Each structure stands twice: as structure tokens, then as C-alpha cells.
Amino acid sequence: MNKSNKHIPESILRQYKPEDEYIVYHEDDPDLDVIKVPLPKTPDYSEIDGYGLPAREQKFQISPLPQKLKDLQKQQNSDNEFLTQDEMWNIIGSDPEYYKNEIAYMATQWRRRIEGYWFFNNGKATFVDGWNYVYLNFWELDTGLPEYRDRDRKFFLFARYCHKDSKSLGFVYPKHRREGATSKACCVNYCITTMHHRAHSGIQSMTEGHASTVYQKHIIDPWKTGMPFFFKPNHDGGDDPKGKLAFRPASKRGTKGSKSKSDKSLLSSITFMPSNVKAYDTWKLYFYHSDECGKTEEVDINERWRIVRLCLAQGAGGSIHGLSIHTSTVGSLAKGGDNFRRLCNASKYSQRPRNGQTISGLYICFIPAYEGLDWYVDEYGMSVVDTPTPEQKLYLSTKINPETGEVGCPNPEIGSRDYIDNTVKALEAGDDYSEYAEFMRQHPTRFRGCFINSESQSDFNLMKINRRIDELRGIKDATVRGNFELNDESLGFAGGVKFTPHPKGKFNVSKVLPISETNNLMFDGKTYRANNLQFCAGADPFKANKTKGNKKSNGGGAVFWGHDPVLDPMNKPIAEWKSKRFICTYNHRPPTKEEYGNDMIMMCIYYGCPMFPEVD
């Protein structure tokens, strides 16, 4: 590939850095699959905006609307009504020489919307997706146009990756508080809907009122205030359509103009609906946005998604025509968080057993809270995660918060990772676990942090428990999954039991016994009795093969290893003990109670231990 360096001083070219070939997601998160999203082939450097400038002068620049087009949008006719879309196009078409530069500008904006945009950013050739480009140039927020941020770039690139993937219906996006995901998803919604004939899109949230707010604040407001007329298809409403934004011929001219007198239209629409399960049943959707689905209490979002996913595809879900984005901070597990966790667990990239799709048809996109954290973004839109450079410190010290008007980062001497960690440590030192858990869910730096529960009334120190769980999750071989199986089917339980590792096994075991120590039972002539009293088991069975409602309880089981004074004498620190702990757990719902009972019996036979089941 020719990287033109014509007429560019060598002193400037040395400042340029190699461009990225991929964006890598979840690289440092042990609970998620690493996903590599390829970037387009880099064009000749001379074709990239910012080429030839010193690296420090290269950054994203908006492409402002030319004054002639601004004036045209403000123009009124003899009846003091703003011009319709058709009238503006007719004026341009009647004098193309006068609007020559403006026509070229509009062609450039359309090309970038469709193909994406390259620019040099602090010495690196950088690609932003076309949806991202529209967002940065025309999608006005309540604080004005968005700033360029690398975190947002990752969001849009992942959305496009899913849209191009013939096996993906979209993605779930557990996020940190107020990072702009709703606005970004709505921009994608608008871009997709206004590029297709007879395309309909839908929005649902935790309540109907909240869905209405998303529609009004994040679709209608940007469409009204920032979207130029050449990105606005003809529509049938006034300047403030309440129920839906319908791109179809107008029945009559509006007092504010902006309608069409012609029959030309997309016949597409953007709608919102109540949160109920069947609101979009039978619709054909090109885009679906499930907002705040991690805090939805009115319905089970998994039941709702089972219906909506069929609206985005045909042929029993095999031919996908639509994209969905599921954005949310996560509520407590009792208030929608657990349903969202179930949806995420069904969306793991490496687990695609059904015709190449994940169970949900979705992928997970998680970006840690320290990326794009307010205040900790430098002048080039890059997250200041670790110790800032001198240039970044200076910029952070003088940065102005667009919402509050405050000047200066709270602590420009550290990066966003340390800033969050310092807050977490302060909360850990306190005694309010609920406040700690809430902060962790609102600002997760790992995927697992999204689902910390704050509802428990346990007398134990839950912060220590959660920290220990995190440590154990990081030890890949601490436990092994598998199943207990009969040594000889023809002999039944009398033939003994073995443990067989399996990645999707029903049991999670941390103490696998040597063969010589298994099946330690004695037979009294009538029944088998436990002969290994260092272990004991407990069981919590489910009551019926079929349960009412949507949620079925699992059967539970566990084996506890009592204190072994020979292995762990009393003068040995308890923290170093190997015994006095659970060594086998079971949390599963097999098809029948009989299978559950057999699982519990085989567990006890293997460890040679007595069982103390819960009995109502």
C-alpha cells in the first residue's frame, strides 16, 4: 500500500505511528471472550484528513454545515412558512452552479455516512464508522455536539461488526453510568431506518414512559436540532411528532414546513412501545433498541426478547435483516439485574451451538468504566487510563466540564483506573455494603462487576466474600466441572461411582479423590451406609417436575469437608487450612426429580458420605 510522503518533511513523518488492524475487545477480562474486530484497509495517507500536519495538531474536526445551506434551511416562503424538503432541493437544482460547493459538501457527507471516515489523530491514521461520523457531526445532545471519544468509536465499530455478521442479531451492552449509550444506539437507529425502504424500528425500555423519553430526547430532539435536511427523508408530521417518526407522504402542509408535497417517501418509521412482552409481536423490524433492560422489572426481558428476535429475522431466525442493541447500567439482581445477567450469559461469543448463533443470537460488548470516564479523556479523545503524560496533565487541569462548567480534573496526577480504584478502596473501608455494590455496578471495570448484588441482608462481610470470589475466578484450575457416573450400568449403584470431567458438567468439584478413596461405603446386609465421616452432604430438591410461571428453581447439592486435625493442626493458621470447606457443589435442574435424586445418590457414594437433605 502506497503511503505517500510527497512534500512532507521527514521530521513530521517520524511522528506518525502504525495504524491499527484490529480493535480488540475484552482482552483483559477473564470472564469474557476476546473479540477482534478488523478495521478497513488504510487508504493512501495523502487521502486521509490531517496528513502533513505535525502529530500534535491532528485531531478529529467536525465538518460544519456551509452557510448557504444554513440560510436555505432558515428560508421562508411568501406565506411565512419554512421550506419543505422538496422546495429546498428544487432551489438547489435550479441553480447548481451557485450551490456547486454545497453539492460537493453534501456528496462528501453521504459518502462518509456510508463508507466511514479516515483522519489522522495525534500521528495515527484512525477510522470511524459512518454511524459514528453522523453522531459526531450532526447528532446534537443536550450539551451540543458530542466530543470525539475512542470509547464511542469502539461502540460504533462493534455495532457495525454485528450488523455485518450474518449470525448476529446485535449485542448486549452493560455499561457505566451516563456514558451516552442511549444516544449512540438511537443514532444507529436513525441511520439504519432512514437508509431502507419500508423499514420500521422499535424502542422499548423499563416502562412505557421511559421509552417515550428515549424517543423524544434521543431521537426527535437530535433530528430537529442538528440533522441537516439532506439527511432528513420526507415525513408526515410536524416538527415534533409525538407517537412515531413516520417517513411517508404528508396529508397536508404543516405550519412549520419541512413536509413534502410529493408522493416520494421511504414509508419507514421509528416507534416506541410499552415494555410488555408482545408489544412488537408480528412486526418486521430493521432495528430494535432495548434500553435500561438491566433495570426492567415489569417483564422478564428474556421472554420479551424471544418474541422480538423473530421480528429481526426470517426463516426460523436464520436470515437476519435487523440489528438490536440492548443498553443498560445494571440494577440490583432482584430488580431486573438477574434477568439481564441471564441474557448476557446466553450471549457468549464462544458458545454458539445453534446454527452458529449464540443462544440469544446476541454478542456481549463490554468496555470498562475507566475508558471514556468523564474528565479522564485527553484532547485527542483518548482515555487517560494510567498515569497521565505531562501534556495530558496540563490538558486535564484546564479542561471544562460541559455540563457543570467546572474547570480542572478532580485529580490530574492519576489516571481513571486509579481514580475508580481509590473510590472502591474508600467504600471497602466503610461499612455500607449497599453503597459499595451500587458504585461497582454503576462503574464496572470488569464484566463481573455489573452484577454485584446489594440486596443481601447477610451478617457476613460481603465485601470480603465478593473479593474472595473474584480471586477464585482468577484461578483457572481451582475447580473442575464434571459428572458422577456409574462404573457399571448393569450393577447400578452397587458397582460404584466415578467422576468424569466435562466442561458443561452438572457438578463443580474442588477435591477429586484418588480412586482408592472413592466409594467408601459399608454394607450391613440390607443397605449401604456411609463409611467416610470426614465428609457430609446436603441437598435442596425442587418440588415438582413442572412449575407455574416463568421461573423454575434448580436443585441444589453440596459436599462439605470437615476439619482434619492431622492435615490442619490447631496451631496452623486457619487461612492456610486445606480442610473445613465445601469441595463439591451442584446447582442444576435436570428434566426429572428422579435424575436429580440419582445425581445426589452418586455424589454421596463417590465421597462415601451421609446425606442431610432439606425436607419440607
Side-chain angles (χ1 to χ4, degrees):
M1 180 167 50
N2 178 27
K3 298 293 192 298
S4 173
N5 60 4
K6 187 177 180 180
H7 307 308
I8 307 301
E10 185 64 29
S11 60
I12 289 180
L13 291 176
R14 283 199 300 267
Q15 299 173 19
Y16 293 1
K17 310 161 193 172
E19 58 271 19
D20 297 325
E21 296 183 12
Y22 299 89
I23 298 291
V24 182
Y25 298 80
H26 317 145
E27 191 171 19
D28 299 319
D29 200 311
D31 298 317
L32 293 174
D33 304 304
V34 174
I35 301 177
K36 294 175 68 176
V37 173
L39 295 171
K41 185 178 179 180
T42 311
D44 188 285
Y45 276 3
S46 63
E47 300 174 8
I48 300 176
D49 277 0
Y51 178 63
L53 294 174
R56 67 179 182 277
E57 297 178 15
Q58 297 171 328
K59 61 182 70 173
F60 182 85
Q61 304 286 349
I62 65 168
S63 186
L65 196 68
Q67 189 60 47
K68 288 182 182 179
L69 296 185
K70 289 182 181 179
D71 293 340
L72 189 61
Q73 291 187 152
K74 295 177 182 178
Q75 189 173 326
Q76 294 180 328
N77 62 18
S78 58
D79 296 325
N80 295 322
E81 296 171 327
F82 290 111
L83 302 179
T84 65
Q85 250 85 330
D86 287 349
E87 287 169 339
M88 284 186 275
W89 283 116
N90 288 336
I91 289 173
I92 293 173
S94 66
D95 197 351
E97 185 61 31
Y98 178 74
Y99 288 103
K100 178 181 178 180
N101 293 334
E102 288 67 32
I103 292 172
Y105 169 86
M106 290 187 288
T108 297
Q109 301 313 303
W110 267 105
R111 184 177 67 253
R112 292 174 179 177
R113 173 177 171 174
I114 294 171
E115 299 177 0
Y117 172 65
W118 283 92
F119 73 104
F120 271 99
N121 193 30
N122 194 22
K124 179 179 284 191
T126 303
F127 176 79
V128 295
D129 182 79
W131 297 334
N132 195 175
Y133 182 82
V134 172
Y135 179 74
L136 290 166
N137 280 278
F138 307 112
W139 202 255
E140 285 201 8
L141 312 179
D142 54 2
T143 56
L145 287 175
E147 297 178 349
Y148 171 79
R149 293 193 175 186
D150 193 58
R151 179 189 178 101
D152 295 344
R153 174 174 174 259
K154 290 182 177 181
F155 175 95
F156 285 105
L157 287 170
F158 198 90
R160 182 72 71 173
Y161 174 73
C162 292
H163 194 40
K164 288 182 176 180
D165 189 333
S166 63
K167 301 296 184 182
S168 174
L169 288 160
F171 63 101
V172 288
Y173 186 66
K175 65 183 187 67
H176 76 256
R177 182 176 179 269
R178 298 196 66 186
E179 64 91 64
T182 300
S183 294
K184 289 179 284 191
C186 285
C187 182
V188 176
N189 184 347
Y190 183 86
C191 287
I192 288 178
T193 307
T194 56
M195 285 290 289
H196 291 87
H197 185 238
R198 296 183 183 273
H200 304 289
S201 66
I203 300 168
Q204 286 185 288
S205 189
M206 52 187 177
T207 64
E208 180 179 5
H210 197 271
S212 175
T213 299
V214 172
Y215 166 80
Q216 185 64 46
K217 182 178 178 181
H218 298 284
I219 293 286
I220 298 303
D221 287 356
W223 170 77
K224 286 168 52 179
T225 58
M227 195 59 57
F229 76 93
F230 54 84
F231 280 164
K232 282 185 174 181
N234 293 327
H235 66 97
D236 71 351
D239 283 350
D240 197 17
K242 298 297 183 184
K244 67 178 178 179
L245 181 54
F247 303 109
R248 60 181 65 249
S251 57
K252 63 179 181 178
R253 185 186 180 94
T255 57
K256 296 295 185 181
S258 79
K259 293 185 181 180
S260 168
K261 292 181 178 179
S262 72
D263 292 330
K264 297 177 182 178
S265 67
L266 284 178
L267 299 178
S268 301
S269 65
I270 299 176
T271 62
F272 68 91
M273 287 285 189
S275 63
N276 67 71
V277 169
K278 294 188 176 182
Y280 281 108
D281 191 15
T282 75
W283 284 57
K284 180 179 180 181
L285 298 175
Y286 277 75
F287 184 86
Y288 173 75
H289 180 196
S290 178
D291 192 56
E292 296 296 8
C293 44
K295 296 187 286 190
T296 299
E297 299 180 61
E298 292 185 352
V299 298
D300 182 342
I301 60 168
N302 297 280
E303 295 294 330
R304 188 170 74 189
W305 174 238
R306 289 188 187 103
I307 291 177
V308 173
R309 66 180 296 171
L310 297 178
C311 302
L312 297 161
Q314 296 179 199
S319 178
I320 298 172
H321 57 258
L323 175 73
S324 69
I325 302 179
H326 306 247
T327 57
S328 192
T329 49
V330 184
S332 66
L333 298 188
K335 297 181 179 181
D338 193 48
N339 287 334
F340 189 53
R341 178 168 61 178
R342 287 166 52 209
L343 183 64
C344 289
N345 287 339
S347 307
K348 293 183 178 178
Y349 186 76
S350 62
Q351 298 177 18
R352 288 176 278 182
R354 300 198 308 183
N355 301 318
Q357 293 183 348
T358 64
I359 298 298
S360 69
L362 305 168
Y363 298 152
I364 299 171
C365 178
F366 176 75
I367 303 175
Y370 50 70
E371 292 193 39
L373 188 69
D374 284 342
W375 289 119
Y376 288 96
V377 179
D378 69 15
E379 62 181 306
Y380 303 102
M382 307 304 293
S383 302
V384 184
V385 175
D386 299 310
T387 303
T389 65
E391 293 78 14
Q392 288 174 330
K393 287 181 183 179
L394 178 62
Y395 177 78
L396 296 181
S397 299
T398 58
K399 186 176 181 181
I400 300 176
N401 188 315
E403 294 194 11
T404 65
E406 295 178 79
V407 179
C409 173
N411 190 346
E413 299 297 319
I414 62 174
S416 57
R417 195 197 309 267
D418 283 343
Y419 186 82
I420 291 177
D421 285 347
N422 289 345
T423 304
V424 170
K425 289 175 183 177
L427 292 171
E428 284 181 333
D431 58 0
D432 190 338
Y433 176 78
S434 294
E435 184 179 359
Y436 161 83
E438 182 70 13
F439 181 85
M440 292 290 286
R441 287 202 314 272
Q442 295 286 322
H443 305 86
T445 57
R446 294 277 183 90
F447 174 70
R448 70 183 67 156
C450 299
F451 303 102
I452 292 178
N453 195 13
S454 60
E455 299 296 319
S456 176
Q457 300 298 315
S458 171
D459 292 329
F460 295 102
N461 188 321
L462 295 180
M463 279 185 274
K464 287 185 176 180
I465 292 173
N466 276 287
R467 194 182 304 118
R468 181 56 179 158
I469 290 173
D470 281 351
E471 292 172 0
L472 291 173
R473 281 173 172 163
I475 304 174
K476 298 298 184 182
D477 58 353
T479 61
V480 58
R481 282 211 161 269
N483 295 307
F484 293 111
E485 301 173 348
L486 298 174
N487 286 325
D488 188 331
E489 292 282 350
S490 64
L491 297 177
F493 297 133
V497 171
K498 61 185 177 182
F499 177 74
T500 303
H502 190 283
K504 295 183 180 180
K506 293 178 280 187
F507 292 87
N508 205 21
V509 174
S510 64
K511 185 175 178 62
V512 178
L513 300 179
I515 295 178
S516 60
E517 296 180 16
T518 63
N519 302 290
N520 194 347
L521 305 171
M522 58 182 179
F523 184 63
D524 63 4
K526 295 182 179 179
T527 60
Y528 288 93
R529 297 183 182 275
N531 198 34
N532 193 343
L533 299 182
Q534 63 177 322
F535 304 129
C536 65
D540 182 10
F542 51 91
K543 294 181 180 180
N545 286 335
K546 294 184 178 180
T547 57
K548 295 181 179 180
N550 294 326
K551 188 172 182 181
K552 297 180 179 181
S553 60
N554 287 349
V559 176
F560 186 78
W561 181 12
H563 176 223
D564 185 340
V566 176
L567 182 63
D568 299 313
M570 295 303 296
N571 60 355
K572 184 179 180 180
I574 293 179
E576 299 177 8
W577 284 11
K578 302 296 184 183
S579 61
K580 200 176 182 180
R581 62 183 175 87
F582 286 97
I583 57 173
C584 175
T585 58
Y586 178 99
N587 181 16
H588 181 70
R589 186 183 180 90
T592 65
K593 291 188 294 182
E594 287 72 23
E595 182 177 331
Y596 168 77
N598 288 338
D599 285 340
M600 293 298 98
I601 292 171
M602 287 190 289
M603 178 180 74
C604 291
I605 291 174
Y606 178 83
Y607 285 103
C609 64
M611 164 64 77
F612 299 91
E614 180 178 324
V615 180
D616 291 336

